């Protein structure tokens, strides 16, 4: 396999210049424009005094301010979210930047030199012209998005399936990154398969027969800059000729890569399609957020796949590689049932063997989650005995595990009388004590990771926060470093009701160890605290089962972790449309602030 040295994404790309009306503000931008469009929103119109504006985006890494004024004067037109840059002398608007660490900079096309004669700047679509002046805006038009076709050439390699990736170069978007050979449908005269055959010939020199084309995945993608498109990915396993670089001005390297071990330097859009394909899913949504990188970033994986509605017996089973791995571990499987949690990235099936056995097959969202779950199963989880599943098999390349099935039903949404609730919480406390029994020498980055993300999460959750919420969270974060460092133990990492099973005899079981890592014991009570809120009897039952009450230092640490988790949950719930997680975060913040105000009043009277 060919290994590639990847260059700076903005090196050897087209460079454009521009500036303001008076010339004091000058700039250069490297790279190809992304999503040139006209915007007629009321915000742009009022700010500019024009019925619409002409925008495009460039990689922010290729932006340089070269004039005597240096950077423009910035004004937050969307406070905390987006700022616009203008010349303080003549008032010309030239740019827009999102707060945080944006991947792209918005540039007003009219600020670019030679914009009238540059075909790459022709607007691809109108944006919100229905808000513009009535004499300008036509009847509401239908939203339109470009269609891409992607060629997924697949061959059998020594370590499993391999796919062909080419490295983009020159004056193209995402230059320097790996991508499937791809292109746009030329027009209404060309169907998607014809476009694929043409692109395969133009980019790689191979010839493909139409009958050898198979649909693999459809991806609805949105770039960090906000432009959306539909990607049609087609698998081809048979072709004529050897793939070669046919467009050296657009591609400077090409190589085969194992599907189970893709390199990091892949366009996030392409990586989403390949991950969905590997998992046997045929439709995926990949909507990136402002500030996301163009390259794949496992910490900002936006992939959300949907199951098939086919009626065949194996319609919702995993892809062939996962199916084969599971059957090597437990024998032939008669039926698969998709039991994934209704949230992005959750991929779990109940597998029933031909002999009647039952297992769960789980595909993790990434290597980190896989390593955590497998590491826990191979170290401290066996110490829980029958209260936890047993690891049957694991495959690091597929990020997949097979575990034994446990009896019982999830406590999520279950309703029990108060006495039984207290009994359940005593068992939860005892189970938590068993998990925390052994100290861990591993590195605890629980608080550090949460604090690093707090401003980003606050910014994303801003629309949902009550007045004072952000200041309250920042104040807790500022005090966090002064807290006493608790003992580091093995933790489950996601100990909440949906990961706890209760059987008919009252026995309790715990599942799902993909977030397991060393940390303070109270880390495992962050989400359970929302359940015992207002129910001191449940907290008393839990600590009775745990064998001791929480110390004052642990309660302070728990409060900080709860607040940070609440903001993270609000951001996640808003971004993924998960109302339960969103509501839990809002409820937790409101409760913590109420408790803090009551404590402050109590201190004021003593």
């Amino acid at each position: 396999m060919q290994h590639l040295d990847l260059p700076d994404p903005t090196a050897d790309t087209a460079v454009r210049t521009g500036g303001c009306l008076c010339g004091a503000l000058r700039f250069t931008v490297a790279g190809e424009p992304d999503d040139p469009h006209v915007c007629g929103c009321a915000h742009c119109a009022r700010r500019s005094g024009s019925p619409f504006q002409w925008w495009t985006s460039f990689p922010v890494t290729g932006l340089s301010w070269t004039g005597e004024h240096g950077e423009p004067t910035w004004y937050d037109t969307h406070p905390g979210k987006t700022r616009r840059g203008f010349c303080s002398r003549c008032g010309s608007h030239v740019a827009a930047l999102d707060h945080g660490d944006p991947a792209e900079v918005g540039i007003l096309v009219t600020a670019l030199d030679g914009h009238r004669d540059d075909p790459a700047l022709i607007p691809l679509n109108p944006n919100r012209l229905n808000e513009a002046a009535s004499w300008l805006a036509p009847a509401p038009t239908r939203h339109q998005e470009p269609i891409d076709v992607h060629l997924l050439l697949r061959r059998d390699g020594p370590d499993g399936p391999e796919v062909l990736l080419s490295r983009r170069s020159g004056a193209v978007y995402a230059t320097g990154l790996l991508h499937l050979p791809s292109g746009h449908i030329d027009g209404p005269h060309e169907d998607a398969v014809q476009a694929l055959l043409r692109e395969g010939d133009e980019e790689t020199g191979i010839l493909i027969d139409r009958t050898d084309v198979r649909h693999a995945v459809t991806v609805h993608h949105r770039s960090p800059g906000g432009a959306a498109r539909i990607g049609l990915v087609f698998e081809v396993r048979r072709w004529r000729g050897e793939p070669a670089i046919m467009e050296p001005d657009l591609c400077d390297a090409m190589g085969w890569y194992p599907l189970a071990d893709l390199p990091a330097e892949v366009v996030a859009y392409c990586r989403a399609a390949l991950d969905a394909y590997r998992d046997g899913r045929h439709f995926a949504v990949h909507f990136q957020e402002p500030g996301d990188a163009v390259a794949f970033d496992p910490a900002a994986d936006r992939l959300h796949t949907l199951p098939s509605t086919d009626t065949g017996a194996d319609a919702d089973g995993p892809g062939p590689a996962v199916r084969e791995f599971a059957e090597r571990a437990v024998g032939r499987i008669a039926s698969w049932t998709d039991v994934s949690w209704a949230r992005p990235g959750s991929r779990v099936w109940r597998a029933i063997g031909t002999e009647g056995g039952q297992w769960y097959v789980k595909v993790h969202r990434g290597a980190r989650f896989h390593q955590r779950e497998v590491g826990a199963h191979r170290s401290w989880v066996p110490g829980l005995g029958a209260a936890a599943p047993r690891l049957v098999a694991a495959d690091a390349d597929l990020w997949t595990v097979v575990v034994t099935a446990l009896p019982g039903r999830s406590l999520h949404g279950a309703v029990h009388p108060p006495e039984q609730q207290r009994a359940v919480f005593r068992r939860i406390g005892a189970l938590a004590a068993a998990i925390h029994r052994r100290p861990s020498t591993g590195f605890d980055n629980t608080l550090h990771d949460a604090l690093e993300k707090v401003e980003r999460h606050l910014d994303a959750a801003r629309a949902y926060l009550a007045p004072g919420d952000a200041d309250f969270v920042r104040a807790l974060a500022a005090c966090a470093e002064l807290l006493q460092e608790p003992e580091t133990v093995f933790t489950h990492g996601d100990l909440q009701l949906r990961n706890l099973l209760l059987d008919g005899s009252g026995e309790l079981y715990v599942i799902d160890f993909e977030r397991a890592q060393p940390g303070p014991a109270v880390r495992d009570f962050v989400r359970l605290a929302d359940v015992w809120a207002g129910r001191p009897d449940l907290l008393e039952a839990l600590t009775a089962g745990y064998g001791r009450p929480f110390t004052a230092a642990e309660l302070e640490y728990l409060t900080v972790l709860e607040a940070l988790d609440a903001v993270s949950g609000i951001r996640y719930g808003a971004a993924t449309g998960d109302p339960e997680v969103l509501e839990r975060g809002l409820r937790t913040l409101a409760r913590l602030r109420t408790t803090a105000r009551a404590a402050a009043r109590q201190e004021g009277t003593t």
Side-chain angles (χ1 to χ4, degrees), residues 218-294:
T218 296
V219 182
H220 191 190
H221 164 73
R222 182 182 67 196
S223 73
R229 60 186 62 240
I230 301 293
L232 303 177
V233 184
F234 297 98
E235 178 202 79
V236 174
R237 302 197 189 197
R238 186 168 59 182
W239 59 88
R240 297 190 299 280
E242 287 297 320
I245 298 172
M246 304 303 292
E247 298 176 329
D249 55 329
L250 303 177
C251 168
D252 63 6
M254 188 176 287
W256 292 93
Y257 291 85
L259 182 61
D261 187 22
L262 296 170
E265 302 85 2
V266 179
V267 176
Y269 174 21
C270 174
R271 177 58 184 262
L274 289 171
D275 284 349
Y277 168 77
R278 185 197 62 203
D279 292 344
R281 292 292 173 116
H282 302 301
F283 185 84
V285 174
H286 184 252
F287 266 36
Q288 293 184 275
E289 298 292 332
D292 284 355
V294 174

Side-chain angles (χ1 to χ4, degrees), residues 4 142 145 251-252 261 365 495 499 509 557 560 573 586 596:
L4 310 177
R142 293 181 178 178
E145 293 180 356
C251 168
D252 63 6
D261 187 22
R365 286 170 288 174
L495 198 64
N499 289 327
Y509 308 88
Y557 209 86
V560 173
L586 295 171

Side-chain angles (χ1 to χ4, degrees), residues 20 48 78 170 187 212 245-246 313 344 350 374 405-406 430 451 490 576 598 602:
C20 67
S48 67
H78 293 290
D212 290 323
I245 298 172
M246 304 303 292
R350 182 190 301 116
V374 172
L406 294 175
L451 290 173
F490 290 104
T576 61
Q602 181 67 27

Side-chain angles (χ1 to χ4, degrees), residues 113-336:
D113 301 331
H115 65 271
R116 294 179 182 275
D117 303 317
D118 191 337
L121 300 174
I122 296 174
L124 296 177
N125 60 75
N127 179 46
R128 297 168 69 176
L129 289 188
N130 60 310
E131 295 181 22
S134 58
W135 51 264
L136 176 69
T141 57
R142 293 181 178 178
H143 175 63
Q144 296 181 351
E145 293 180 356
I147 298 177
D148 302 330
V149 292
H150 302 256
L151 176 58
L152 197 162
L153 285 184
R154 172 173 167 163
R155 73 178 189 183
D156 293 328
D159 298 317
E162 294 179 342
V163 295
L164 184 76
L165 298 175
S166 60
R167 186 170 66 186
R168 301 168 69 85
S169 68
V172 295
Y173 181 68
T175 186
L177 297 177
L178 297 168
H179 202 283
L180 291 169
S182 60
H184 295 125
I185 294 176
D186 266 354
H189 65 279
E190 185 177 62
D191 68 41
V193 178
Q194 288 174 327
L196 184 82
L197 305 185
R198 174 181 52 76
E199 290 289 347
D201 181 22
E202 292 176 354
E203 294 194 26
T204 69
I206 64 171
L207 298 177
I208 303 168
D209 191 281
R210 191 181 183 103
T211 59
D212 290 323
V213 176
R214 300 287 183 271
H215 172 255
V217 185
T218 296
V219 182
H220 191 190
H221 164 73
R222 182 182 67 196
S223 73
R229 60 186 62 240
I230 301 293
L232 303 177
V233 184
F234 297 98
E235 178 202 79
V236 174
R237 302 197 189 197
R238 186 168 59 182
W239 59 88
R240 297 190 299 280
E242 287 297 320
I245 298 172
M246 304 303 292
E247 298 176 329
D249 55 329
L250 303 177
C251 168
D252 63 6
M254 188 176 287
W256 292 93
Y257 291 85
L259 182 61
D261 187 22
L262 296 170
E265 302 85 2
V266 179
V267 176
Y269 174 21
C270 174
R271 177 58 184 262
L274 289 171
D275 284 349
Y277 168 77
R278 185 197 62 203
D279 292 344
R281 292 292 173 116
H282 302 301
F283 185 84
V285 174
H286 184 252
F287 266 36
Q288 293 184 275
E289 298 292 332
D292 284 355
V294 174
F296 173 69
D297 178 3
D301 188 356
R302 307 299 184 187
L303 177 63
H304 175 48
T305 60
L306 300 181
S308 169
T309 57
D310 297 339
T311 57
D314 296 332
D316 289 336
V322 173
R323 187 187 303 268
E324 181 183 349
F325 160 69
E327 291 192 333
R328 285 202 309 269
V330 301
R332 296 291 295 174
I333 293 173
S335 66
W336 297 87

Side-chain angles (χ1 to χ4, degrees), residues 66-85:
T66 59
E68 62 181 272
H69 271 14
E71 283 203 25
T73 300
W74 296 99
Y75 176 71
D76 272 16
T77 53
H78 293 290
K81 182 179 180 182
T82 304
R83 52 191 175 135
R84 314 282 176 163

